Structure formats: C-alpha cells, structure tokens
Amino acid sequence: MRFDVITLFPDLFTPHLQLGVTRRAYESRQVDLRLWPLRDFAEDAYRRVDDRPYGGGPGMVMLAEPLERALAAVRADRAEAPTAPLVHFTPTGRRIDQALVREMAAGAGAVLLCGRYEGVDQRFLDRHVDLELSLGDFVLSGGELPALALLDAIARLQPGVLNDAQSHEQDSFSADGLLDCPHYSRPEVLDTPEGAMPVPVVLLSGHHAQIARWRRERSLELTARRRPELIAAARAAGRLSKADEQYLAGLLL
C-alpha cells in the first residue's frame, strides 16, 4: 500500500521511518510512504502557504491554492491509484479506532493531509476530502502526530513486521474488542519499597487452559472497570461466552 503525506514538516516523519519494529514495513515497502513538503508548491518568493482569515479573528489559514497544486502533483504521481482517498486530520473528525485501522491496513493506502495553524481553507476540504479523522477530544498543533499514529497502527498489522504474527491479534480492541490483560516477565518476585511483588502464581503453573482463563478474566475485569461500553458492544455482537457472563456477574464494580 502507498501513503502520500502532504505536510509542512516532513522531517517529523524521518525518525518514525528509521526506528522501532515498524521500520520493517517501510524498508520492505509494504507501506510505501512518500512525503510532499507543502512549501514546495508555493509560488511566491516567501513560499507562503497561509494567510489571515476572512472575517478577522486569531490565527492563520492554510491557503487553498498551494494545497491544490500539491494534491495535483500527488495524483499525477499515483498513476496506479490516482483516486486514493484524501484523509484530513481534525478534531471534528471521526475518532481513530482499531476497526478503522484494520480496514485501512487491508486497503491500498491514502493521501494524508496534515493541517496546521487555525485550519485549512474550507473550499479545499469541500472539494477533495473523503475522510476526516481525529485522535480524540483534544487539539494538537498539527496533523502530523495523528498521521504518525495512524501509520504506526497500520504498519504493525502488516505480515512479518512483528516478530510474532499473533501479537496484534491479542492487542486491546482486537479480536473481541476488549482491553488486553496485564503482562509479566522476570524477575519472578520484584522487590520494592512497598514489599515483594510476585508474578501471579497461575502464570507459573504451565497449565495453559488455566492461564488462558486467567488472562480472559483479567481482560474482562479491566474492560468492565475502565471501558464498560466495550463490554456492552462485545455482548451485543455475541462475543461473550456463558463463562464470561458468569464472571462479569460476580464482579463488584
């Protein structure tokens, strides 16, 4: 798949492409990422891509014309898929979730527009944007961080990127849509100022069925306490077993 990113700050993406396990997806071109610096499409000597808003008010607005030229260049370069959807990152967009990530990870890619300043000229958005996305109910200084978050989530789902192919299948929000269970590693007993903290005994038992049930119950408990709406969604979708329901009924929330 191919992602084209229109951005004022392409250097923000460089470490992401070179570090961490997801770099494998970019090195192999499973995720083909191409950066388009917006100032390259400004036509004046100052490489201006923003101006004051009509009607007054604080902040600056990203100009439509440099964006039009940048998008035209991207479309021309994407001869194999010139109609790839244009994604705009904004607090008013749909919140990114794992279902969306899985959908996009199985697709052919997209063009990612990283806005800055007070916003983007609405005429450009009205003409071209197919999907608006948000990280959550807060405001960032630009679209680069949401774009990086989306790319990271998509890259780790590509075959061969994670060492264990089952890793992402056990993540929070995957499979049955619940939160993941707690995890432990060495030492078996951790000495702390508050006292010894041992690994739960069941994880040392070697009894795979008991371990699986313990992990399931911890997942159910954590989800019920922190994200009860996910329990409701799993129940509505028929993803909770009779044993799950019995365990949930006994929880003191």
Side-chain angles (χ1 to χ4, degrees), residues 93-110:
R94 167 186 170 183
R95 186 176 296 186
I96 298 170
D97 57 24
Q98 193 66 15
L100 172 72
V101 169
R102 286 196 297 267
E103 179 183 339
M104 295 191 71

Side-chain angles (χ1 to χ4, degrees), residues 52-71:
R52 297 182 183 279
Y54 281 122
M60 305 289 276
V61 176
M62 293 181 70
L63 298 172
E65 291 174 321
L67 288 167
E68 292 279 0
R69 289 189 286 270
L71 182 59

Side-chain angles (χ1 to χ4, degrees), residues 5-242:
V5 181
I6 300 174
T7 173
L8 283 170
F9 300 104
D11 289 345
L12 289 177
F13 291 82
T14 302
H16 182 77
L17 302 179
Q18 298 173 344
L19 302 173
V21 69
T22 53
R23 76 183 186 282
R24 299 171 182 168
Y26 306 111
E27 291 172 351
S28 67
R29 292 296 181 93
Q30 288 173 278
V31 178
D32 184 4
L33 183 61
R34 308 191 188 188
L35 303 173
W36 299 80
L38 182 59
R39 292 196 188 279
D40 290 354
F41 299 92
E43 291 191 330
D44 68 317
Y46 297 99
R47 305 179 76 197
R48 179 177 290 277
V49 296
D50 64 298
D51 208 337
R52 297 182 183 279
Y54 281 122
M60 305 289 276
V61 176
M62 293 181 70
L63 298 172
E65 291 174 321
L67 288 167
E68 292 279 0
R69 289 189 286 270
L71 182 59
V74 172
R75 298 290 193 212
D77 195 62
R78 289 184 65 106
E80 76 286 358
T83 58
L86 178 63
V87 177
H88 173 226
F89 298 99
T90 168
T92 63
R94 167 186 170 183
R95 186 176 296 186
I96 298 170
D97 57 24
Q98 193 66 15
L100 172 72
V101 169
R102 286 196 297 267
E103 179 183 339
M104 295 191 71
V111 181
L112 308 182
L113 170 60
C114 300
R116 282 269 161 176
Y117 311 124
E118 194 66 22
V120 175
D121 191 303
Q122 188 63 40
R123 293 168 294 183
F124 177 83
L125 301 179
D126 290 341
R127 292 193 65 221
H128 299 293
V129 169
D130 300 291
L131 178 64
E132 292 193 315
L133 297 177
S134 170
L135 275 185
D137 296 340
F138 54 92
V139 180
L140 295 166
S141 57
E144 285 79 11
L145 287 178
L148 284 167
L150 179 65
L151 289 167
D152 184 271
I154 289 172
R156 67 189 304 277
L157 295 184
Q158 301 309 306
V161 172
L162 301 182
N163 289 323
D164 188 335
Q166 294 183 339
S167 291
H168 66 76
E169 297 173 6
Q170 299 175 1
D171 288 338
S172 294
F173 314 113
S174 297
D176 53 16
L178 304 181
L179 299 181
D180 195 9
C181 66
H183 299 278
Y184 298 84
S185 188
R186 298 181 180 179
E188 186 175 321
V189 178
L190 180 66
D191 292 323
T192 76
E194 295 76 30
M197 299 181 67
V199 171
V201 174
V202 65
L203 298 180
L204 307 174
S205 69
H207 195 297
H208 298 297
Q210 291 180 3
I211 291 172
R213 190 61 215 167
W214 181 90
R215 286 174 170 164
R216 178 67 173 180
E217 290 177 354
R218 297 293 76 69
S219 174
L220 290 165
E221 180 180 10
L222 187 63
T223 306
R225 294 187 186 282
R226 298 188 181 180
R227 298 290 301 276
E229 77 279 9
L230 298 180
I231 292 288
R235 180 177 289 123
R239 295 194 294 262
L240 299 182
S241 67
K242 183 179 295 185

